[in-house]
């Protein structure tokens, strides 16, 4: 579709793409509508062919996981294809033991995870990818979105590289974007996370930008007293963490106050054992 309605007027995809490319407007901030059915459409910009509009199915906030998963795969495939990948969906691999959600190339696959996933099932699928020499990139739906505190079920989706540190990928098909949460670190004792965020549109331009994104990573401040306060609370309430650290402190003949401040100021990777336990187990 090479034309759409915008503010009750017909606009051409080529003209709208030119305005985006010259910085006169941001991609898909306008409410484009199909001239025939009046449903929402989005602008797709590609170097491989002329710009065009395509329908974007609208979902309510209660989007089902199957709908979210399907829409995410289709949008991701479209963005990768526009960026020059020969992307395909639902491709069987490893003699049928594995099915890639989106196979971008012979050596690169994207797994879109919207439903719950056990550690065992993740390890099984990840190992199969490794055995056939395919890099698996996991991108999660709204069930697994990263917030202020780390959940155990989220730990498996983290990856790490030199540019981004620990990073985490999320997809939002309703907004036609995916999100990179990078430089992710967990506080020494608590489940609190600190991270930076960068959003990318699911289109050719931002997909290419994503591969070459070089951020400036921030240093996060840490409040040592808050870490000690949290630990004391765990000890007093005899939580699982409190009982474990309490036993270690007793065996070492130590108290919270006798621990060095370094223990309460050392950041950790998401899901790693807390810094106090690590120190006491040395």
């Amino acid at each position: 579709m090479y034309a759409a309605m915008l503010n009750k007027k017909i606009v051409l995809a080529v003209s709208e793409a030119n305005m985006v490319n010259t910085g006169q407007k941001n991609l898909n901030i306008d409410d484009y509508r199909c001239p025939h059915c009046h449903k929402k459409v989005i602008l797709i910009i590609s170097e491989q062919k002329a710009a065009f509009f395509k329908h974007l199915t609208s979902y309510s906030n209660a989007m089902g996981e199957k709908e979210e998963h399907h829409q995410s795969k289709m949008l991701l495939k479209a963005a990768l294809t526009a960026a020059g990948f020969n992307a395909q969906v639902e491709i069987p691999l490893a003699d049928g033991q594995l099915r890639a959600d989106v196979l971008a190339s012979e050596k690169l696959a994207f797994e879109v995870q919207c439903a719950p996933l056990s550690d065992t099932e993740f390890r099984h699928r990840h190992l199969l990818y490794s055995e056939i020499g395919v890099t698996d990139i996991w991108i999660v739906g709204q069930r697994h979105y990263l917030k202020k505190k780390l959940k155990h079920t989220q730990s498996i989706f983290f990856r790490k590289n030199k540019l981004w540190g620990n990073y985490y990928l999320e997809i939002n098909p309703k907004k036609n974007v995916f999100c990179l949460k990078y430089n992710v670190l967990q506080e020494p004792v608590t489940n609190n996370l600190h991270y930076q965020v960068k959003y990318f549109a699911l289109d050719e331009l931002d997909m290419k930008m994503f591969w070459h994104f070089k951020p400036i990573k921030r240093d996060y401040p840490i409040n040592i007293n808050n870490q000690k306060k949290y630990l004391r609370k765990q000890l007093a309430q005899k939580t699982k963490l409190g009982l474990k650290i309490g036993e270690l402190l007793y065996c070492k003949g130590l108290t919270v106050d006798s621990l060095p401040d370094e223990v309460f100021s050392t950041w950790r990777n998401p899901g790693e054992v807390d810094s106090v336990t690590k120190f006491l187990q040395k």
Side-chain angles (χ1 to χ4, degrees), residues 130-162:
S130 179
E131 288 176 347
I132 60 175
V134 175
T135 298
D136 51 323
I137 297 179
W138 292 71
I139 184 166
V140 303
Q142 59 183 341
R143 169 187 284 272
H144 302 291
Y145 283 177
L146 205 61
K147 297 181 180 178
K148 291 184 178 180
K149 295 183 183 296
L150 179 68
K151 297 178 181 178
H152 168 73
T153 53
Q154 296 170 319
S155 298
I156 56 178
F157 302 119
F158 282 96
R159 293 293 181 270
K160 189 174 186 178
N161 64 32
K162 290 182 180 179

Side-chain angles (χ1 to χ4, degrees), residues 52-253:
F52 62 96
F53 293 103
K54 75 170 186 176
H55 283 84
L56 177 65
T57 305
S58 295
Y59 292 107
S60 67
N61 290 333
M63 178 193 292
E65 284 172 351
K66 289 184 178 180
E67 295 172 313
E68 181 189 20
H69 186 247
H70 175 75
Q71 187 73 354
S72 296
K73 286 189 301 183
M74 294 301 105
L75 289 172
L76 187 57
K77 175 191 180 297
L80 287 165
T81 300
F85 291 87
N86 182 27
Q88 304 173 70
V89 297
E90 294 295 332
I91 301 301
L93 300 171
D95 297 325
Q97 299 179 74
L98 189 65
R99 185 175 292 272
D101 283 337
V102 183
L103 188 66
S105 70
E106 292 182 355
K107 298 297 182 181
L108 179 64
F110 283 84
E111 284 292 318
V112 180
Q113 193 62 41
C114 299
L117 182 68
S118 68
D119 291 1
T120 301
E121 178 61 20
F122 170 81
R123 285 194 296 269
H124 173 67
R125 287 159 64 178
H126 181 58
L127 181 60
L128 286 174
Y129 274 118
S130 179
E131 288 176 347
I132 60 175
V134 175
T135 298
D136 51 323
I137 297 179
W138 292 71
I139 184 166
V140 303
Q142 59 183 341
R143 169 187 284 272
H144 302 291
Y145 283 177
L146 205 61
K147 297 181 180 178
K148 291 184 178 180
K149 295 183 183 296
L150 179 68
K151 297 178 181 178
H152 168 73
T153 53
Q154 296 170 319
S155 298
I156 56 178
F157 302 119
F158 282 96
R159 293 293 181 270
K160 189 174 186 178
N161 64 32
K162 290 182 180 179
L163 284 177
W164 303 341
N166 299 302
Y167 68 91
Y168 196 89
L169 292 169
E170 302 170 351
I171 191 165
N172 187 334
K174 290 180 287 185
K175 294 185 177 180
N176 196 41
V177 299
F178 67 102
C179 174
L180 169 65
K181 292 180 176 175
Y182 63 96
N183 194 22
V184 187
L185 292 173
Q186 189 172 355
E187 290 185 357
V189 186
T190 77
N191 287 328
N192 294 339
L193 295 173
H194 295 248
Y195 50 81
Q196 295 169 255
V197 180
K198 175 69 175 178
Y199 287 93
F200 298 89
L202 281 161
D203 61 31
E204 178 193 17
L205 298 179
D206 274 22
M207 185 60 72
K208 289 182 176 179
M209 187 188 305
F210 167 72
W211 296 115
H212 302 287
F213 179 56
K214 296 181 179 180
I216 298 175
K217 291 188 288 186
R218 298 199 305 262
D219 290 325
Y220 306 125
I222 187 70
N223 188 313
I224 293 175
N225 289 330
N226 283 347
Q227 300 300 304
K228 291 183 177 181
K229 181 179 179 181
Y230 176 84
L231 177 55
R232 288 193 179 94
K233 183 177 180 180
Q234 301 302 303
L235 292 167
Q237 294 181 349
K238 297 183 179 180
T239 64
K240 184 177 180 180
L241 176 65
L243 289 172
K244 179 180 69 173
I245 292 180
E247 182 178 354
L248 288 170
L249 286 170
Y250 177 78
C251 291
K252 298 284 185 178

